[in-house]
Amino acid sequence: YDLTLQLAGGTAKADMLPIPISDLHGDVFVHGIGKRTEVQIDAIRGRLQEREGRAAQMALVGIVKTYPAYAEDLTIVVRQLELDPALGQALEASGSITAGTWANLKPSGMVDVISHQARTGDAAARLEHTVLMRDVRSDAEMLPQPATDVTGELEIRGGELAFRSVRARLGSALVQCSAGRVGSTASGRTEVSMQLSAERFPDRKS
C-alpha cells in the first residue's frame, strides 16, 4: 500500500446511516496515484447512540475506487441499535424511509442493522437496509393491541419498508405477518398494508 491510515477516537456521520458515530478506530489502506486511487476500508469500528454507559456497536467495511470510473461499495453492520425517535427522524430526513413511517409504526426496542451503499459514476447511491428484529414492540394505531415480542426481518429500499415472516404477540395471541409494506402513494400519502394470520385475533382493548 502507498498509504496506511490508522484511525483512533474519530467521529463521523455516514450518509447510509445518518446518526452520529463516535470512537471510530481501524485501518484505511490507500494505493494508487493521482486520479487512479483505491481506498480499502478494513473493519473500521465505532459506537452509536452513546448514553448512560451503553452504545450500539458498528463496523464498516468497503472499497472506494476513482478509476476507471468512480465506484463505491460500503457495508455497515450495527448491533443493538435502539429504535428511538431520533433514529426515526434521521432515517426520514435522509430519505431512507418516507415521512410518516415512524409515526405510523411507533416502534421501540433493539435491532441489528446491515446497511449497504453502492454508487457508480455520477449516479445516485443505491442504499439498502436489512433490519433484524429480536425483541421489538409496535404501538401502531392500526393494531387492536400493541405488538410485543416482535421478531423477523425488514428490508428498506428506495424509501419503502417491506417485511415478511414477522411474528409478534397481540395480547395473548401469536400473530404472523406474511407480507407487509409501508411506502408513499402517488398522491404522497403514507400507505401501510400487511397480511396477518393467527389462530385467533384479539379484540381491541383500552
Side-chain angles (χ1 to χ4, degrees):
Y1 295 101
D2 298 304
L3 178 65
T4 300
L5 302 176
Q6 293 182 325
L7 303 181
T11 60
K13 182 183 290 187
D15 291 342
M16 57 198 301
L17 194 60
I19 53 179
I21 305 170
S22 60
D23 190 28
L24 279 174
H25 58 280
D27 296 328
V28 177
F29 304 104
V30 183
H31 63 81
I33 187 170
K35 296 182 179 180
R36 298 175 60 87
T37 304
E38 178 176 299
V39 179
Q40 294 184 2
I41 301 169
D42 184 23
I44 291 178
R45 301 184 184 276
R47 296 161 61 88
L48 299 88
Q49 297 179 324
E50 285 200 88
R51 58 171 75 95
E52 299 178 355
R54 68 156 298 275
Q57 303 297 318
M58 179 222 76
L60 167 65
V61 296
I63 188 167
V64 177
K65 295 181 178 182
T66 62
Y67 69 94
Y70 177 85
E72 63 185 43
D73 192 321
L74 304 170
T75 299
I76 286 180
V77 178
V78 181
R79 293 182 59 83
Q80 294 294 298
L81 185 67
E82 183 178 354
L83 299 175
D84 62 9
L87 176 61
Q89 293 171 7
L91 291 175
E92 291 186 359
S94 69
S96 296
I97 58 177
T98 56
T101 297
W102 206 264
N104 275 290
L105 296 179
K106 297 182 180 177
S108 59
M110 299 282 188
V111 298
D112 297 339
V113 179
I114 303 170
S115 299
H116 179 247
Q117 178 172 302
R119 187 200 313 261
T120 303
D122 296 328
R126 301 188 305 278
L127 182 59
E128 301 176 356
H129 303 285
T130 299
V131 181
L132 306 175
M133 299 181 293
R134 307 300 187 193
D135 186 9
V136 172
R137 176 186 175 102
S138 172
D139 288 281
E141 294 181 1
M142 75 187 81
L143 299 173
Q145 294 186 20
T148 61
D149 301 329
V150 182
T151 60
E153 184 174 308
L154 308 180
E155 292 184 356
I156 303 174
R157 296 180 181 180
E160 288 195 357
L161 184 152
F163 43 98
R164 290 174 290 278
S165 299
V166 172
R167 295 177 179 270
R169 288 195 175 276
L170 298 180
S172 60
L174 181 60
V175 179
Q176 180 167 342
C177 176
S178 58
R181 172 189 176 274
V182 181
S184 294
T185 64
S187 62
R189 298 177 59 186
T190 299
E191 179 182 72
V192 181
S193 61
M194 61 183 70
Q195 297 178 9
L196 299 177
S197 61
E199 291 184 1
R200 59 187 179 83
F201 205 70
D203 297 327
R204 184 177 293 274
K205 295 182 180 180
S206 58

